[in-house]
Amino acid sequence: MKQERSKVKSDILLRVRLLYVLFILAGGIVLARLIWVQLFSSEVAYNAERLAGRIFTEEVIPAQRGSILSRDGEPLATSIFRYQAAFDFASPGLDSLKTFREQADSLAKLLAAFFRDKPASAYAKKFREEHARRYRLVNARDTSYLRSEGWFSRMMDRMRGEEYVKRRIYDTIRDHTPVTIFPREVDFAEWETLRRYPLLNWNMGMVYRLIERDERIYPQGELARRTIGLTGDKGNYGIEEAYREELAGRDGKAVRQRIARGFYGRVAGGDHVDPVDGYDVVTTLDLDLQDVADKALRRQLETQNARWGTTIVMEVRTGEILAMVNLGRNADGTFAERENYALSRSMEPGSTFKLATMLTLLDDAKMPPSTVYDTHNGDPVTVGPAKNIRDSHRGDREIDFRRAVASSSNVYFAKAIWDRYGITGKKQEYSDFLRKELHLGETVGLERLGERKPSITTDWKVPDPGVMLVKMAYGYRVRMAPIQVITFYNAIANGGKMISPVLVRELRRGERVEEEFESRTIASSIASRSALREIHACLQAVCTEGTASAFFRDTTRVRVAAKTGTAQITSPTEGGRPYLGSMVAYFPADEPRYTVLTTIETRAQPGKAYYGGPLAGPVVKRMVDYIYNRGHDWYARIDDDGPRRYPERIKGGDIVQVRRVADKLARRTSFDSRTGWGRAAVDSLSNVSITSLPEDRGVMPDVRGMGLKDALFILESRGLKVRFSGQGAVVQQTIPAGTRISPGAAVTITLK
């Protein structure tokens, strides 16, 4: 009996030991698995990343794109944030039907009054229908629950036989698809008002998300569009493309937690990075001159039934481009900014290139200006190997250098160049002088904006080197873009100093200048003093007795120096032989301040011009007259001493900014509000009074006296469609101030 007990005991101990071993093995396996998962396996990190990706998301906070401004700060391209509210009608915050309907009815009345597009009942109906569609109760059933909580109350209920009560419960089906509620996107000022309305002020929890969109607008329309550029699907070019990174800024980021489908809440203390807005690009463009040049060139292109044209206005001393117009013909016959012809069209310039020939003869070949050649009265002649060289006019036979420039004689310059560089075998010296001394073989610094490189030959191993030399003398077999031609002439106007043109003046962030751009000196002098004196006299003779005399013969007001040019384009086109007509002028001739160029491509047509003078001259004439008349005193100097001057008027707008300006310039400033929008008036004692505009968005504000930027912002924020004309400050508005307005109404403002 005893032995049998020992056997049973041993058997039990064996089983216990086996269980211990199994438990130890299982624990070891679990421990090994934990070590593997924690230290060696990527499974945990992968699953954690998937889970975090479903719960948390990193949202990009877009930076606001910088604006492109004119030289006086007027917007050429700017960005405006637009907002839309996307509601989650299945949000638990809206489960209380009674509260939801009360708040939704209030919101409907406010939105109807704000947008004025439909009655409040339509808004309320939409809210209720969307809520019923997105939030549904299904699977109705009864359930029992205790009537009371405490034991005493439960005992009393039991004695009455009312311990349990029945209640009907439902399953809920929620569709969290966002629904937009505004009839249109709103700007920031409008959103600041709307966000105070019921439901939009989060009074029932997070029931919507705000959708932001950065919209790029061009307040000046098509004016200088090819220079300003465009971004997006329609194309990338101009300043918008060249300064893409500077304008774009740096996007920020924010970590958000998923609340429902399409709805996220910002995580406090997350890894947030604030966005850095882009730089504002300040150009050298003068909107006033740009507008005048656009109208003048457009009128001439239409009158002459031309193909395309470009006009450039440059400041002599600084190289700043004040206007750059590029107009090309559309399929329907209208003209628009289709291509930047000023920078990208590298073509044979024709007789405007004779300026290079003149400098070469005077400075390199040392030819006396008194040298005379027979031009054969416009009959075709042979010069070296080149045949059929002729002038476009008759009447000249033996003429000197100055007369040859005034009449733009091809024969004179062809003979002069052939005698000094053809017969003598100095073709290479000729092209070297053009490239190295006159710097005509290089770009002028606007490559970033699409400038094409000029073509001045360096290789004379061609089938007809002699013909090429003769043709180059009067502007063929070379290729230059209009911007390079005007830069060359500007160097003559600038006393021989060639500087690069400047189109972008500075980069700004707010009021702080981050980077400034100035002209680069290409050559300190491209001509001797004696050559410059002779060139100045010759170019003035072009205006008084030569090919530009029809426009600038009268020297009583302002004396102009100019050169015309005509080139027959070799590429065939339909509808007539194509020509390129140009005129370049600088003025006043005795102290140049501005250089103007116009180049137009057309074709020979009955009754239409195709020579440079009559084709491009009217546009250049218009620009010279306008610039001269705009300057009240060309030679006046500003003295620091003398009586202090006060402004006669100050533009209205943002009251904070108007006050800042008025405090600096006026005697005394008074105002009825420190913030908001207001009009400014200057009295006879030079005191400035600022009157705030009424806040009622249903009333037409008085924007007279404001600049275009502020007037556009105020009127568009009230839902108006704005058209404008002119430059300066608003002097007239078609809807009188104080009139009740409705969104979508059109108003026209006139600036002067």
Side-chain angles (χ1 to χ4, degrees):
M1 189 72 180
K2 187 174 182 180
Q3 198 172 24
E4 192 174 322
R5 283 186 196 146
S6 298
K7 185 176 180 181
V8 171
K9 185 176 181 180
S10 299
D11 189 43
I12 292 172
L13 289 173
L14 178 61
R15 292 180 181 180
V16 171
R17 291 189 183 102
L18 287 175
L19 287 174
Y20 281 157
V21 171
L22 289 175
F23 281 133
I24 291 171
L25 286 175
I29 292 172
V30 171
L31 180 62
R33 177 64 177 169
L34 288 174
I35 294 174
W36 167 258
V37 168
Q38 293 294 329
L39 300 181
F40 303 103
S41 175
S42 60
E43 184 179 352
V44 172
Y46 173 73
N47 290 329
E49 185 177 349
R50 287 188 61 191
L51 182 61
R54 297 188 59 170
I55 299 176
F56 299 96
T57 183
E58 188 176 273
E59 181 185 32
V60 175
I61 304 175
Q64 185 168 14
R65 188 174 179 84
S67 299
I68 301 176
L69 308 173
S70 67
R71 64 191 296 114
D72 56 359
E74 291 293 326
L76 303 174
T78 189
S79 293
I80 296 179
F81 275 116
R82 301 289 185 181
Y83 302 89
Q84 177 64 268
F87 261 73
D88 176 12
F89 283 99
S91 171
L94 304 179
D95 284 356
S96 173
L97 291 179
K98 179 182 178 182
T99 307
F100 166 74
R101 287 174 179 174
E102 290 175 353
Q103 299 296 322
D105 287 347
S106 299
L107 178 61
K109 293 176 182 177
L110 291 169
L111 292 181
F114 186 90
F115 290 107
R116 299 171 181 250
D117 63 322
K118 54 187 175 183
S121 59
Y123 277 102
K125 181 181 178 182
K126 177 181 178 181
F127 295 159
R128 293 188 182 189
E129 289 177 350
E130 291 293 345
H131 186 267
R133 186 180 298 116
R134 311 290 174 182
Y135 172 69
R136 289 184 294 154
L137 302 177
V138 297
N139 300 331
R141 60 191 182 276
D142 293 332
T143 186
S144 298
Y145 70 99
L146 293 171
R147 180 186 295 274
S148 305
E149 294 292 334
W151 66 272
F152 181 77
S153 299
R154 289 179 58 189
M155 184 178 66
M156 297 298 294
D157 292 340
R158 187 178 302 170
M159 291 175 62
R160 293 193 299 267
E162 299 176 351
E163 184 177 6
Y164 295 95
V165 295
K166 291 183 178 181
R167 174 176 291 179
R168 176 151 291 200
I169 62 173
Y170 303 85
D171 291 334
T172 58
I173 297 179
R174 299 178 185 270
D175 180 0
H176 293 283
T177 303
V179 178
T180 58
I181 67 166
F182 298 157
R184 58 174 174 82
E185 294 178 327
V186 297
D187 59 31
F188 179 76
E190 291 175 314
W191 173 243
E192 287 296 297
T193 299
L194 290 167
R195 67 185 302 179
R196 296 193 290 267
Y197 291 176
L199 297 182
L200 294 173
N201 63 2
W202 307 118
N203 64 323
M204 294 186 70
M206 187 176 293
V207 296
Y208 72 92
R209 65 186 176 98
L210 187 65
I211 302 173
E212 297 181 357
R213 185 174 65 85
D214 188 1
E215 179 184 356
R216 195 69 168 170
I217 63 172
Y218 299 88
Q220 309 304 326
E222 285 295 312
L223 200 64
R225 170 54 60 82
R226 209 67 208 183
T227 303
I228 299 166
L230 190 69
T231 60
D233 297 336
K234 294 182 179 179
N236 295 281
Y237 52 84
I239 295 174
E240 291 275 26
E241 167 65 17
Y243 290 85
R244 174 184 292 272
E245 294 185 5
E246 292 86 345
L247 287 164
R250 186 173 67 250
D251 292 340
K253 64 178 181 178
V255 178
R256 296 187 180 274
Q257 182 177 357
R258 187 175 187 269
I259 299 172
R261 186 174 66 178
F263 290 84
Y264 292 84
R266 186 165 179 172
V267 178
D271 185 17
H272 304 298
V273 177
D274 292 330
V276 179
D277 292 341
Y279 292 116
D280 290 337
V281 176
V282 182
T283 69
T284 60
L285 294 178
D286 183 315
L287 273 182
D288 207 12
L289 292 183
Q290 183 76 26
D291 184 55
V292 174
D294 183 277
K295 288 183 171 62
L297 180 60
R298 190 182 300 271
R299 186 183 303 112
Q300 183 67 358
L301 291 173
E302 292 171 350
T303 301
Q304 300 299 331
N305 195 28
R307 295 183 178 275
W308 61 264
T310 181
T311 294
I312 309 172
V313 180
M314 182 183 292
E315 198 171 53
V316 170
R317 185 180 58 83
T318 63
E320 292 188 349
I321 297 174
L322 305 181
M324 182 183 287
V325 182
N326 298 279
L327 296 176
R329 178 182 289 276
N330 294 319
D332 60 359
T334 61
F335 289 91
E337 293 255 348
R338 295 169 49 85
E339 179 184 335
N340 198 325
Y341 303 103
L343 303 182
S344 63
R345 281 296 177 102
S346 186
M347 306 180 70
E348 293 176 322
S351 293
T352 53
F353 190 77
K354 288 175 182 173
L355 176 62
T357 304
M358 294 154 60
L359 289 172
T360 305
L361 292 172
L362 294 175
D363 270 345
D364 187 59
K366 308 299 181 183
M367 186 188 84
S370 58
T371 303
V372 173
Y373 281 103
D374 186 356
T375 59
H376 301 275
N377 193 32
D379 294 327
V381 298
T382 298
V383 179
K387 299 179 179 179
N388 294 321
I389 308 299
R390 62 187 304 168
D391 291 340
S392 60
H393 61 279
R394 306 187 71 83
D396 283 340
R397 291 190 177 276
E398 293 186 352
I399 59 174
D400 62 5
F401 184 84
R402 185 170 298 186
R403 176 57 191 167
V405 175
S407 62
S408 195
S409 172
N410 295 336
V411 175
Y412 183 98
F413 289 106
K415 287 185 174 182
I417 288 295
W418 178 252
D419 286 349
R420 286 156 184 81
Y421 295 95
I423 296 175
T424 59
K426 294 182 178 180
K427 301 180 185 66
Q428 190 63 50
E429 286 83 347
Y430 173 60
S431 60
D432 287 346
F433 186 84
L434 296 178
R435 296 176 62 87
K436 296 177 181 179
E437 300 300 324
L438 302 184
H439 299 271
L440 297 181
E442 57 193 67
T443 55
V444 296
L446 297 180
E447 303 89 344
R448 190 174 184 180
L449 291 166
E451 179 194 358
R452 293 186 62 181
K453 188 175 182 180
S455 175
I456 305 292
T457 187
T458 57
D459 183 10
W460 291 94
K461 296 178 181 179
V462 293
D464 56 349
V467 174
M468 174 179 281
L469 177 68
V470 173
K471 295 281 189 181
M472 287 176 65
Y474 51 93
Y476 288 88
R477 303 292 181 94
V478 295
R479 304 184 75 86
M480 296 178 68
I483 190 65
Q484 294 148 8
V485 174
I486 193 174
T487 301
F488 183 34
Y489 275 80
N490 196 73
I492 301 301
N494 201 25
K497 182 180 180 181
M498 181 180 284
I499 57 177
S500 63
V502 179
L503 185 57
V504 173
R505 176 183 283 182
E506 60 192 23
L507 301 179
R508 304 178 66 92
R509 179 168 281 134
E511 298 297 325
R512 187 173 70 252
V513 177
E514 300 289 347
E515 187 175 357
E516 291 185 271
F517 302 96
E518 295 181 350
S519 61
R520 170 179 58 89
T521 299
I522 298 175
S524 58
S525 180
I526 63 170
S528 64
R529 291 183 179 274
S530 59
L532 285 173
R533 285 194 298 270
E534 184 63 32
I535 294 295
H536 281 306
C538 290
L539 295 182
Q540 289 183 63
V542 172
C543 295
T544 56
E545 58 186 81
T547 55
S549 60
F551 306 100
F552 302 114
R553 182 181 291 110
D554 182 8
T555 61
T556 56
R557 289 192 312 152
V558 58
R559 301 181 66 182
V560 179
K563 183 70 185 76
T564 62
T566 307
Q568 184 178 335
I569 301 173
T570 56
S571 58
T573 59
E574 297 180 1
R577 183 181 302 168
Y579 285 88
L580 190 73
S582 305
M583 178 183 284
V584 195
Y586 59 81
F587 65 100
D590 49 354
E591 191 176 345
R593 295 175 61 177
Y594 300 97
T595 307
V596 182
L597 171 144
T598 292
T599 295
I600 295 175
E601 181 184 322
T602 188
R603 62 188 187 278
Q605 306 166 78
K608 305 294 183 181
Y610 58 88
Y611 284 113
L615 186 62
V619 182
V620 176
K621 169 69 171 174
R622 169 62 176 151
M623 297 311 301
V624 171
D625 289 346
Y626 183 84
I627 295 172
Y628 180 80
N629 292 329
R630 189 175 71 162
H632 296 294
D633 186 355
W634 280 65
Y635 305 100
R637 296 184 178 181
I638 300 176
D639 298 324
D640 293 334
D641 54 357
R644 182 176 177 180
R645 304 292 182 180
Y646 296 98
E648 296 180 358
R649 65 172 183 166
I650 292 180
K651 289 183 179 180
D654 183 86
I655 292 178
V656 175
Q657 297 180 1
V658 176
R659 285 174 50 211
R660 186 181 300 123
V661 173
D663 289 342
K664 293 286 186 182
L665 302 178
R667 291 182 183 272
R668 188 174 62 86
T669 306
S670 60
F671 46 87
D672 57 8
S673 177
R674 291 182 175 274
T675 58
W677 299 93
R679 298 186 63 219
V682 183
D683 61 20
S684 59
L685 299 178
S686 299
N687 297 321
V688 177
S689 59
I690 305 172
T691 306
S692 60
L693 298 181
E695 295 184 359
D696 187 352
R697 293 183 172 275
V699 174
M700 179 66 187
D702 191 349
V703 296
R704 290 175 299 174
M706 294 186 183
L708 177 62
K709 181 179 180 182
D710 291 334
L712 278 177
F713 182 85
I714 294 172
L715 297 176
E716 288 185 348
S717 69
R718 303 198 180 196
L720 294 170
K721 296 180 180 179
V722 185
R723 293 188 292 268
F724 63 89
S725 61
Q727 304 289 334
V730 179
V731 296
Q732 186 178 358
Q733 58 188 59
T734 54
I735 300 180
T739 305
R740 300 300 299 181
I741 56 176
S742 58
V747 59
T748 301
I749 56 176
T750 304
L751 296 90
K752 186 176 181 181

